[in-house]
Amino acid sequence: MTHQWQGVLREYADRLDVTDATPIVTLGEGGTPLIPAPALSRRTGAQVHIKFEGMNPTGSFKDRGMTMAISKAVEHGAKAVICASTGNTSASAAAYAAYAGIQSVVLVPEGKIAMGKLSQAIVHGARLLQVRGNFDDCLQIARELSANYPVHLVNSVNNDRIEGQKTASFEIVDVLGDAPDFHFIPVGNAGNYTAYTRGFVEDAEAGRTTRLPRMFGFQAVGAAPIVLGHPVKDPDTIATAIRIGNPASWELALAARDTTNGYFGAISDSTILEAQKILAAEVGIFVEPASAISVAGLLERAAAGVIPAGAVVTVTVTGHGLKDPQWGLRLADGSEAKPTVVAVDVAAVADAIGLKANA
Ligand code: F0G
């Protein structure tokens, strides 16, 4: 019989705070593929592997944290959960709350979340409010609500989220047999950067690895508070998932960088979109813009001579491209792809694609 992956709480039960009293709310998240990327290895001289988190049940890495956060919320008797979100957290919270049979409430910045994510939150039954403000404003409200009303906060300021998300590092180590030399990852609120570091540190402490990877995190130029060293009041980037000006896990992320001899860099929107196309066209993986920033970061750091030849590099791509598909239709010159229309005619189709008949 085929083994079915049991979700991260069961697969890593011995490394998480789950007991027989914890109701396991799972959609089978985790167990995502670590895909060798020869095209990126050729471009960089490193051995590059992509951790494709778009393969999770709601299409992003948030599911790893949400299975833990919602399971613990239900264990503690919560009837409603709340989160602020740029889209993926709300999609995931809504889905896991639906499975658990509790209410989800989500606050998103008005007009600034991708259509696929909005659709997910609605279809899973979330009470969704669009706030006339940015993500940082939404998180402030969610924090205050959860402090004063009977709603349980499931943003990554909740440590259960970080705990669930650290399992991605365990999976990388399980596949490679050791930690990589470098790990590349997008940064918004910096919760995931913190979570991966925790996972790699725990693996090192348990003797499952011989080293810690250097953790390289990337923010968009218009939303790069950690790189700049100060909050950004009006963050702006086409990578709406990481359009964040005041990351909640800022201090934890700085500590994680220091622990791993890591790095934070900023990438322009146009470079993000180029990387998205390279990953899709040369490796066959379609990710949303926020996720492509880790690939862009790898290409930029390799060009800067920071990545030694043959280094083992893992790159997390956090969310599926189908969540925000408009960017896939955008051509390099900025215009929109307009596929040629042809008649129901073999010769016309052959002609349109430049095929000559066999002699
Ligand atoms: N990539 C994607 C696709 C995301 O949705 C997020 C965060 C990140 C990267 C950054 O992760 O915040 O842990 O540094 N999205 C949150 C949300 C903010 O509401 O969905 P982080």
Side-chain angles (χ1 to χ4, degrees):
M1 223 168 62
T2 323
H3 168 72
Q4 172 155 301
W5 178 264
Q6 298 296 311
V8 298
L9 297 195
R10 291 202 176 95
E11 298 286 344
Y12 292 107
D14 55 333
R15 308 192 208 171
L16 294 166
D17 177 24
V18 289
T19 68
D20 292 345
T22 313
I24 306 289
V25 180
T26 180
L27 293 167
E29 63 295 315
T32 56
L34 185 68
I35 304 169
L40 296 180
S41 298
R42 275 194 299 278
R43 278 177 176 267
T44 59
Q47 303 174 52
V48 181
H49 307 259
I50 304 290
K51 184 66 168 161
F52 187 16
E53 290 290 280
M55 294 296 284
N56 277 294
T58 76
S60 87
F61 72 98
K62 303 288 181 179
D63 296 341
R64 296 177 182 278
M66 210 52 76
T67 181
M68 185 75 180
I70 302 278
S71 296
K72 296 302 277 185
V74 173
E75 182 178 348
H76 295 124
K79 298 280 180 281
V81 293
I82 188 167
C83 66
S85 184
T86 56
N88 282 320
T89 299
S90 53
S92 186
Y96 283 77
Y99 192 95
I102 62 175
Q103 182 64 51
S104 60
V105 181
V106 307
L107 306 178
V108 301
E110 183 189 16
K112 292 292 184 184
I113 87 167
M115 175 83 82
K117 304 174 188 179
L118 189 65
S119 171
Q120 287 179 289
I122 300 289
V123 80
H124 292 308
R127 281 296 310 276
L128 182 138
L129 299 176
Q130 301 200 66
V131 176
R132 285 192 207 95
N134 59 36
F135 171 84
D136 306 293
D137 301 316
C138 294
L139 182 57
Q140 186 57 33
I141 296 172
R143 279 179 189 262
E144 286 181 28
L145 275 174
S146 67
N148 299 302
Y149 296 82
V151 284
H152 189 94
L153 187 65
V154 293
N155 278 108
S156 59
V157 293
N158 175 339
N159 187 54
D160 295 332
R161 283 273 316 278
I162 307 285
E163 281 291 295
Q165 286 170 211
K166 76 183 179 185
T167 59
S169 298
F170 297 158
E171 291 175 16
I172 289 172
V173 167
D174 288 348
V175 170
L176 295 179
D178 202 342
D181 296 309
F182 293 83
H183 186 77
F184 286 76
I185 189 165
V187 174
N189 241 343
N192 212 27
Y193 184 97
T194 303
Y196 270 73
T197 304
R198 188 183 294 178
F200 285 129
V201 166
E202 289 183 8
D203 265 347
E205 285 172 355
R208 286 185 289 265
T209 61
T210 61
R211 58 184 173 228
L212 279 180
R214 296 184 66 188
M215 289 290 299
F216 277 36
F218 295 86
Q219 303 190 297
V221 163
I226 298 181
V227 178
L228 295 170
H230 59 76
V232 174
K233 201 169 173 337
D234 293 309
D236 192 27
T237 168
I238 55 97
T240 53
I242 53 172
R243 184 174 165 274
I244 292 175
N246 193 9
S249 294
W250 194 327
E251 294 303 321
L252 291 173
L254 292 182
R257 178 200 58 191
D258 294 346
T259 302
T260 67
N261 188 20
Y263 171 85
F264 290 110
I267 301 285
S268 72
D269 282 2
S270 59
T271 307
I272 290 172
L273 291 174
E274 274 170 38
Q276 182 188 39
K277 287 191 168 44
I278 289 169
L279 186 65
E282 298 182 15
V283 187
I285 299 175
F286 184 27
V287 302
E288 61 172 291
S291 306
I293 201 171
S294 51
V295 175
L298 166 61
L299 296 174
E300 189 266 336
R301 288 289 84 190
V306 175
I307 315 297
V312 177
V313 170
T314 50
V315 181
T316 291
V317 289
T318 43
H320 206 289
L322 293 176
K323 283 181 173 268
D324 197 3
Q326 60 165 320
W327 300 106
L329 292 171
R330 232 178 79 130
L331 301 176
D333 65 4
S335 68
E336 189 167 321
K338 291 226 170 42
T340 309
V341 178
V342 291
V344 186
D345 180 86
V346 172
V349 172
D351 191 45
I353 52 185
L355 283 179
K356 301 256 176 291
N358 297 331

